[in-house]
Amino acid sequence: MDYLAGLNKEQRAAVEQTEGPVMIIAGAGSGKTRVITFRVAHLIRKGVDSFNILVLTFTNKAAKEMRERINSLVGTEAKNIWMGTFHSVFAKILRVEADKIGYPNNFTIYDTDDSKSVIRAILKEMNLDDKLYNPNFVYNRISAAKNNLIGWQEYQNNPQIQADDFSSGRGHLGKVYETYAARCYRAGAMDFDDLLFKTNELLKLHPDVLNKYQHKFKYLMVDEYQDTNFSQYLIVKKLAAVSENICVVGDDAQSIYAFRGANIQNILNFEKDYPDLKVFKLEQNYRSTQNIVNVANSIIANNKEQLKKNVFSEKETGDKIKVVRAFSDNEEGKIVAEDIMQFRSTKGLKWNDFAILYRTNAQSRSMEEALRKLNIPYKIYGGLSFYQRKEIKDLIAYFRLTFNPNDEEALKRVINYPKRGIGDTTVDRIIVAADKHQLTPFEVILNAGQYVEKAPASLHNFATMIQSFQVITKNLPAYDAALHIAQHSGLLKDLYEDKSVEGLNRYENIQELLNGIKEFSEREDIEEKGLDVFMQDVALLTNDDNDKNKDADTVSLMTIHSSKGLEFPYVYVVGLEENLFPSQMSLNSRSDLEEERRLFYVAVTRAEHKLSISYATSRFKFGTLISCEPSRFLDEIDPKYLELDFTAKPAPSVGSSSYADERTAWSRGNNSGGDSFSKPKPQPVKTTQVLAKAHVPSPDFKPSDTSNLQVGMEVEHERFGFGKVISLEGNKPDIKATIFFKEIGQKQLLLKFAKLHIKN
């Protein structure tokens, strides 16, 4: 049986090209994951040792899905493949090699909150204004430097960087970076960026280590290559330098993470690194209808920097894409919620067939309110994940401290939780003593009588407890060790005694964490099942991996960034307004604007069957109602694929939240006075000219008798506003009037349907 028979011609060619550098340009919905998994399976079937294959992804979810598919094709050999996220794979290597760059093998991995906590402490110690040196800004500045492989020494010695910092009044950033790096090193901790930064350092300073992994990984595959940053690019290039059997898969049209350091040039210029490159383009979209694909193509065609491809669909033509105008963000939410309710009831759909996508999290408010009013269940993705809840972080901090007592952030988190009489003053004295004597805080605690004035006896008890946990974890399985720590730390008892609803939820969350550890310890696909291994898995979870209830029957609400990689039968993209989408921040350069356009492309290509796009003509911003104009991106969509819905009525009075219920369906280009801008006369009328301003009819507006309409008369149209009759043609009852409207230009309307009000 030909196991490749199910692939199309281009997919199969990409799978069978196993040797040398390969780039697979995979359009949206083109079966990218299928090609990667079959390619890996094909390598193994050809006799390549599965231990010599490295597959890098951006989420653990993607890696797990690929491994399961490969397992179905080649069996248990799939377990031997080095497959995972960049961070998880190189954390695994660093666990073995970290001592070569001065780190313990049991180093802690700091998440974003841990890193910002360290930065806040440093800013406080240096007496720096936390408004000027906002911890989020400082963290992002350091992160960007690491992603570009700029260490603190180079940061301080770079004239351009220093000039930028001093001109912005932040001349101490270099010192903050230096102190932050030293503090992490002392704690035996690496942040997420360090996992790549330190891997680059390891491979640069130790050619023997580089040589070892170059010969180990004889075949490399990188998924979502358009999302790689400079640090990731360099690691991959170094590892592939010997065999050059490297295959990168991605879509430049879906490069949307520049704010995280992703560099689209990595995929655009890949051929410069490998002149012998073989390029395969996966252009058939198996996900979306033809109309949706056509809309996506017309959008992305406006980008100058791109790898040209002709994405097509052989699915049904599908409905035209509805463009909805609302008079406010609240009405926009009401329209979307009503639409979802109607489709679900008339077509027998589930709630999870629907997704609402927006540019910023703040837009969820109006959507949530509208869904709640109709009792529609929904879930917001990208919110607080399970592992970011306080009680979960508290117990995990105990685990971290057990395996790495030098972990200062974990120590500060639990030293007095549950309360054991160790106040903030004592903790400050411990930190000061540690800095003064070049010790870790835990080393100070072990000798508290020597270093800490008025040291409470509970410090000794705390140190003894942590040391006992270290002994226990060496002799007990992961679940038993975790349960022991939860019980003997006092955390479980403290939560159990809180009988409030919140307390009960926190206690149940701890039980859920323990259940997760139990499941982990019973997995058959991993050999090492200690609590320390579980801890590493948790530390490396990506945002897409945290949620355990994604199959719940709820409408999905998320930012477009969060939606990448997902698909839904019915998709609503809301807030298509200038300065919102594209965002105001993106209007400073072509590259930023093109990234926003790629983001719109990603949003559109999440839809399988039906796509709706909406915008509001007014929206509250910082408590003020502002006027909005439709996004320039709407202008870039070929109008023949659109159906315009401008039937929403304005609020009957200021301050009222109700709207007229009458919504007369209409489509443009018909013979009933509908919008005919697809064939403008005498000059093209841009989509946004039609969308731009929602005309509010005059108080005395009502359709007039037009049987005596004459050229030169001034009229008002319910949607198009005020205009003057230019010409009349035809015979009753099919007389057509050509009217020039002040806001949108010239229109030809059939009088019997036009509903014009003749001005006196």
Side-chain angles (χ1 to χ4, degrees):
M1 179 179 176
D2 184 358
Y3 67 100
L4 301 181
L7 302 175
N8 67 33
K9 181 180 178 182
E10 199 68 14
Q11 288 174 334
R12 181 161 185 157
V15 166
E16 292 180 330
Q17 181 62 50
T18 58
E19 306 304 307
V22 172
M23 179 165 65
I24 302 173
I25 305 300
S30 62
K32 169 177 68 72
T33 302
R34 183 177 176 82
V35 169
I36 295 173
T37 53
F38 270 85
R39 194 172 189 276
V40 174
H42 188 59
L43 283 169
I44 294 172
R45 288 205 174 197
K46 282 182 61 179
V48 174
D49 190 334
S50 53
F51 283 97
N52 297 142
I53 300 173
L54 171 62
V55 182
L56 296 169
T57 67
F58 275 83
T59 67
N60 292 307
K61 175 188 169 188
K64 181 182 179 184
E65 180 184 349
M66 288 180 194
R67 194 183 296 276
E68 288 172 351
R69 291 196 193 183
I70 296 167
N71 186 70
S72 69
L73 293 169
V74 298
T76 57
E77 281 294 314
K79 293 181 180 180
N80 305 327
I81 302 165
W82 279 61
M83 178 182 290
T85 65
F86 278 87
H87 293 90
S88 65
V89 167
F90 297 120
K92 186 176 178 181
I93 289 175
L94 286 169
R95 291 287 178 202
V96 177
E97 314 288 354
D99 61 301
K100 294 181 174 62
I101 53 174
Y103 277 80
N105 297 109
N106 65 338
F107 61 85
T108 296
I109 300 173
Y110 277 173
D111 65 15
T112 304
D113 287 344
D114 295 323
S115 297
K116 289 179 181 177
S117 177
V118 175
I119 288 169
R120 274 191 289 270
I122 293 169
L123 297 176
K124 184 178 179 182
E125 292 166 14
M126 294 177 65
N127 293 315
L128 296 174
D129 183 352
D130 61 3
K131 291 187 175 125
L132 190 59
Y133 290 86
N134 180 283
N136 291 332
F137 174 85
V138 175
Y139 170 79
N140 291 333
R141 185 76 168 172
I142 293 173
S143 175
K146 288 183 180 179
N147 286 332
N148 286 287
L149 300 183
I150 299 172
W152 66 263
Q153 299 97 327
E154 185 180 349
Y155 189 99
Q156 292 180 356
N157 293 325
N158 186 301
Q160 183 61 56
I161 292 175
Q162 292 304 299
D164 290 345
D165 285 352
F166 276 98
S167 66
S168 66
R170 300 186 181 96
H172 296 289
L173 275 175
K175 186 62 180 177
V176 174
Y177 185 3
E178 177 184 358
T179 308
Y180 172 75
R183 198 67 56 88
C184 289
Y185 183 78
R186 184 179 76 181
M190 296 188 196
D191 62 23
F192 254 49
D193 298 310
D194 280 329
L195 295 176
L196 303 179
F197 185 82
K198 296 299 179 184
T199 298
N200 269 297
E201 183 180 307
L202 174 70
L203 300 180
K204 180 180 179 181
L205 298 179
H206 297 274
D208 56 324
V209 176
L210 173 60
N211 184 64
K212 170 184 173 182
Y213 290 101
Q214 283 175 331
H215 287 85
K216 176 175 181 58
F217 301 132
K218 296 177 181 177
Y219 291 85
L220 285 79
M221 290 194 69
V222 186
D223 188 20
E224 305 286 11
Y225 190 68
Q226 77 279 350
D227 293 334
T228 54
N229 59 33
F230 178 65
S231 182
Q232 292 162 328
Y233 159 81
L234 207 56
I235 293 172
V236 170
K237 186 179 180 184
K238 286 179 179 178
L239 291 177
V242 172
S243 70
E244 289 204 346
N245 292 325
I246 178 172
C247 173
V248 300
V249 186
D251 181 6
D252 58 294
Q254 297 186 65
S255 178
I256 60 173
Y257 294 121
F259 67 95
R260 293 184 191 168
N263 188 347
I264 192 174
Q265 299 303 322
N266 290 349
I267 193 167
L268 295 178
N269 297 328
F270 190 67
E271 191 168 5
K272 291 182 179 179
D273 288 332
Y274 303 96
D276 298 331
L277 182 69
K278 299 283 195 307
V279 179
F280 300 90
K281 295 182 179 181
L282 308 183
E283 297 174 311
Q284 183 171 354
N285 182 309
Y286 291 93
R287 175 190 301 155
S288 307
T289 64
Q290 293 179 39
N291 268 335
I292 293 172
V293 170
N294 290 337
V295 165
N297 287 344
S298 67
I299 292 165
I300 205 64
N302 291 275
N303 271 10
K304 290 188 174 182
E305 283 204 308
Q306 61 172 297
L307 298 168
K308 293 291 185 181
K309 54 187 173 296
N310 179 34
V311 180
F312 65 95
S313 171
E314 293 185 352
K315 295 184 72 174
E316 69 277 8
T317 303
D319 294 338
K320 289 186 176 183
I321 282 61
K322 185 187 287 187
V323 177
V324 178
R325 178 185 67 198
F327 285 85
S328 68
D329 47 352
N330 285 335
E331 192 202 33
E332 184 182 34
K334 182 174 183 285
I335 293 170
V336 170
E338 288 177 350
D339 211 48
I340 290 173
M341 180 68 84
Q342 181 181 359
F343 272 119
R344 182 179 181 272
S345 59
T346 57
K347 295 186 179 293
L349 302 170
K350 295 181 179 180
W351 294 121
N352 60 14
D353 288 328
F354 300 91
I356 303 173
L357 310 182
Y358 35 76
R359 179 64 181 84
T360 66
N361 278 309
Q363 292 170 256
S364 73
R365 179 200 58 79
S366 56
M367 297 296 140
E368 289 186 75
E369 289 179 2
L371 294 171
R372 280 200 298 267
K373 285 178 181 177
L374 295 181
N375 292 318
I376 296 175
Y378 67 90
K379 178 171 180 56
I380 295 178
Y381 291 90
L384 188 67
S385 75
F386 179 78
Y387 290 101
Q388 292 300 314
R389 293 183 171 98
K390 178 186 181 302
E391 62 275 13
I392 301 301
K393 294 200 73 163
D394 288 339
L395 182 51
I396 286 178
Y398 273 110
F399 297 163
R400 281 168 43 179
L401 199 58
T402 298
F403 291 107
N404 178 14
N406 295 336
D407 186 339
E408 185 175 322
E409 288 306 302
L411 184 143
K412 289 193 292 188
R413 188 175 189 98
V414 300
I415 191 170
N416 199 39
Y417 178 72
K419 290 190 180 300
R420 49 177 64 92
I422 304 174
D424 291 344
T425 301
T426 300
V427 174
D428 288 343
R429 287 172 178 165
I430 292 169
I431 301 300
V432 169
D435 288 339
K436 180 179 179 180
H437 299 283
Q438 294 297 298
L439 299 171
T440 68
F442 194 75
E443 288 172 328
V444 170
I445 292 171
L446 288 174
N447 300 281
Q450 179 181 348
Y451 296 113
V452 182
E453 182 183 353
K454 297 179 182 178
S458 50
L459 275 182
H460 172 74
N461 297 336
F462 176 75
T464 302
M465 178 182 68
I466 298 300
Q467 289 175 319
S468 72
F469 291 166
Q470 292 174 324
V471 174
I472 287 292
T473 53
K474 291 179 181 177
N475 302 311
L476 288 179
Y479 173 77
D480 296 325
L483 181 60
H484 177 91
I485 293 172
Q487 290 173 332
H488 289 81
S489 64
L491 185 147
L492 208 57
K493 179 175 180 290
D494 186 72
L495 293 176
Y496 181 76
E497 290 176 348
D498 183 352
K499 299 302 182 182
S500 66
V501 174
E502 293 80 7
L504 179 61
N505 287 336
R506 287 193 286 267
Y507 182 77
E508 289 176 347
N509 285 337
I510 291 294
Q511 293 293 343
E512 180 61 27
L513 175 62
L514 294 172
N515 291 339
I517 297 173
K518 184 74 170 176
E519 290 173 12
F520 168 83
S521 63
E522 293 174 355
R523 281 171 53 182
E524 296 181 356
D525 61 329
I526 55 174
E527 295 180 7
E528 297 182 27
K529 301 178 182 179
L531 184 57
D532 56 335
V533 180
F534 174 81
M535 287 294 300
Q536 179 175 317
D537 280 3
V538 167
L540 293 166
L541 284 175
T542 61
N543 289 336
D544 293 333
D545 305 314
N546 288 332
D547 202 290
K548 294 188 173 184
N549 196 28
K550 286 195 173 181
D551 294 327
D553 191 17
T554 57
V555 174
S556 299
L557 275 68
M558 65 187 78
T559 64
I560 302 168
H561 282 102
S562 298
S563 75
K564 189 165 178 291
L566 304 178
E567 55 190 43
F568 302 90
Y570 290 73
V571 169
Y572 297 83
V573 185
V574 300
L576 260 292
E577 297 141 32
E578 282 292 296
N579 298 322
L580 180 57
F581 197 13
S583 72
Q584 191 169 9
M585 296 292 289
S586 72
L587 303 179
N588 297 323
S589 70
R590 177 174 296 280
S591 61
D592 289 342
L593 182 60
E594 292 202 349
E595 171 133 341
E596 287 287 294
R597 190 176 286 113
R598 292 193 294 269
L599 190 60
F600 187 29
Y601 176 88
V602 166
V604 167
T605 54
R606 298 312 94 199
E608 297 173 359
H609 302 307
K610 192 167 182 66
L611 172 68
S612 175
I613 301 170
S614 61
Y615 70 97
T617 58
S618 64
R619 184 178 296 272
F620 274 99
K621 190 172 184 181
F622 303 117
T624 303
L625 188 66
I626 61 169
S627 295
C628 307
E629 62 177 276
S631 169
R632 69 188 69 193
F633 294 155
L634 293 170
D635 218 14
E636 298 172 353
I637 303 175
D638 191 326
K640 68 184 178 186
Y641 304 124
L642 300 180
E643 170 194 341
L644 306 187
D645 184 348
F646 298 162
T647 57
K649 306 294 182 184
S653 62
V654 176
S656 171
S657 60
S658 63
Y659 295 87
D661 293 328
E662 183 182 19
R663 299 185 188 279
T664 306
W666 65 281
S667 60
R668 60 182 183 76
N670 59 20
N671 292 322
S672 60
D675 180 356
S676 58
F677 73 85
S678 59
K679 295 181 180 179
K681 300 173 183 178
Q683 59 186 13
V685 179
K686 291 186 175 182
T687 306
T688 47
Q689 285 181 284
V690 178
L691 307 181
K693 293 184 179 178
H695 173 69
V696 179
S698 302
D700 63 344
F701 179 89
K702 65 178 180 179
S704 303
D705 177 4
T706 56
S707 59
N708 294 316
L709 188 70
Q710 296 178 21
V711 173
M713 283 186 171
E714 293 187 351
V715 297
E716 181 182 4
H717 186 276
E718 191 176 22
R719 290 190 303 274
F720 304 146
F722 300 103
K724 180 180 283 190
V725 180
I726 297 175
S727 65
L728 297 166
E729 60 183 73
N731 300 312
K732 294 182 179 180
D734 297 319
I735 295 177
K736 294 179 181 178
T738 300
I739 303 171
F740 182 84
F741 292 99
K742 294 178 182 178
E743 295 293 342
I744 63 169
Q746 195 165 297
K747 290 284 179 187
Q748 188 177 69
L749 305 177
L750 199 61
L751 281 185
K752 63 181 179 181
F753 295 118
K755 297 181 180 179
L756 296 172
H757 174 69
I758 300 175
K759 305 295 288 183
N760 294 329

